[in-house]
Amino acid sequence: MKIPAALGIIAGNGVYPRLLANAARKTGVKKIIAAAFTGETDLALTQHVDLIEWMRVGQLNRLLKFLREQQIHHAIMAGQIAPKNLFDLRPDWKALLVLAKLKQRNAESIFAAIAGELAKVDVDLLPATTFLEDSLAPAGLIAGPKLSRREEEEVAYGWKVAKEIARLDIGQTVIVKTGTIVAVEAFEGTNDAIKRGGSLARRGAVMVKVAKPNQDMRFDVPVIGVETIRVAAEAKLRVIAIEAGKTLLLERDAIVDFAGRTGISIVAR
């Protein structure tokens, strides 16, 4: 891919937008701007971009206008928007028009519609992994002790179920304990699914997080960060299984260290 001269980051929460900005800068992107959302985007991002514009979730017209005024032709969606904020959404007229055309309102359909609106103003939405290819999980054991045969079986079972719920666009994560699915991720997000599964399993559960069968790499790409490991450790999970080549490990060294110290194994397949 030819390195764009300018990049727009549509920035959700967490460290992902900041890491992306730094990686893009190292690759040679000269101008980096961010569309940030009040109550979501980390204020620290301000120090890593040339210009930041704060807006409310749902202000699609303002987002398009900002990118157009800054002559941005390449953008990346980085970081999630908290589900509660999507429910509290107060869409502007542009967003209302887009939502009105959707038969189903799930992550896939909403983000695809936004990508379509971006294309109309000559903004190409790049894969969410762009500039962060080195952070994609490699196959094999990434952290922690080797899995037991029983844990391998739990992963295989969880994988089959997770792929099916991902195909149905329900979620991408399941929590397994002794051959039983104790939690399925839905709209609440991965961390809340881990907490619920951990409270039911008590300890030693296996988490499986996968990409969708036809994953659009522009959005909703599986991500594991330090916060994921912290929540998993509090829930006393034993294993985190992810999809190799399709899952971003943000701040990998810190993740491996934290997982090792808390006895959590991370495996990619």
Side-chain angles (χ1 to χ4, degrees):
M1 184 194 82
K2 188 181 173 210
I3 305 300
L7 176 71
I9 298 175
I10 301 169
N13 56 40
V15 298
Y16 185 179
R18 172 169 56 80
L19 296 176
L20 171 61
N22 293 346
R25 190 83 71 189
K26 276 185 192 169
T27 314
V29 180
K30 296 286 188 286
K31 177 184 177 181
I32 302 174
I33 68 163
F37 301 100
T38 50
E40 287 285 349
T41 311
D42 189 343
L43 286 166
L45 182 61
T46 308
Q47 309 301 319
H48 299 263
V49 297
D50 300 304
L51 178 67
I52 193 162
E53 175 97 356
W54 290 90
M55 57 193 75
R56 209 181 62 242
V57 175
Q59 289 185 301
L60 180 57
N61 196 51
R62 188 165 172 188
L63 169 66
L64 299 173
K65 185 169 176 277
F66 174 55
L67 296 174
R68 197 168 52 234
E69 284 174 349
Q70 292 301 316
Q71 298 181 308
I72 297 295
H73 299 292
H74 298 88
I76 298 176
M77 284 186 183
Q80 289 185 313
I81 301 295
K84 65 180 174 57
N85 283 344
L86 287 174
F87 266 130
D88 292 341
L89 188 68
R90 287 171 291 163
D92 62 14
W93 65 270
K94 175 69 86 174
L96 276 171
L97 285 174
V98 169
L99 290 169
K101 293 176 188 172
L102 300 179
K103 288 180 182 173
Q104 291 181 320
R105 293 188 186 182
N106 51 40
E108 188 83 15
S109 63
I110 291 170
F111 290 141
I114 291 170
E117 293 302 314
L118 290 168
K120 289 177 188 175
V121 294
D122 199 24
V123 177
D124 184 19
L125 194 62
L126 301 176
T129 54
T130 307
F131 305 115
L132 290 170
E133 288 86 358
D134 289 348
S135 296
L136 286 167
L141 187 65
I142 293 166
K146 190 174 176 225
L147 273 61
S148 67
R149 185 176 168 187
R150 177 67 191 175
E151 287 163 350
E152 292 276 12
E153 288 170 355
E154 300 271 68
V155 169
Y157 173 54
W159 195 273
K160 187 173 69 172
V161 177
K163 275 292 180 185
E164 187 62 16
I165 68 156
R167 182 185 70 79
L168 295 168
D169 209 12
I170 295 168
Q172 293 166 276
T173 304
V174 298
I175 311 297
V176 189
K177 177 73 183 285
T178 56
T180 301
I181 301 294
V182 292
V184 171
E185 176 196 22
F187 197 62
E188 83 279 30
T190 303
N191 287 352
D192 281 350
I194 294 171
K195 290 172 188 173
R196 194 170 72 250
S199 69
L200 291 166
R202 306 222 172 142
R203 66 168 53 248
V206 171
M207 164 188 158
V208 180
K209 186 178 182 77
V210 301
K212 293 172 186 173
N214 297 306
Q215 181 73 51
D216 188 326
M217 296 304 284
R218 296 176 301 171
F219 35 75
D220 227 16
V221 173
V223 173
I224 298 290
V226 173
E227 179 65 8
T228 316
I229 309 303
R230 186 191 68 73
V231 173
E234 284 184 1
K236 296 183 172 61
L237 260 56
R238 176 42 211 115
V239 177
I240 292 175
I242 54 179
E243 189 157 355
K246 290 190 175 178
T247 307
L248 283 170
L249 290 171
L250 300 180
E251 299 180 301
R252 180 174 168 175
D253 290 347
I255 284 173
V256 170
D257 176 63
F258 197 174
R261 285 188 287 108
T262 52
I264 293 173
S265 292
I266 302 174
V267 63
R269 55 178 282 181

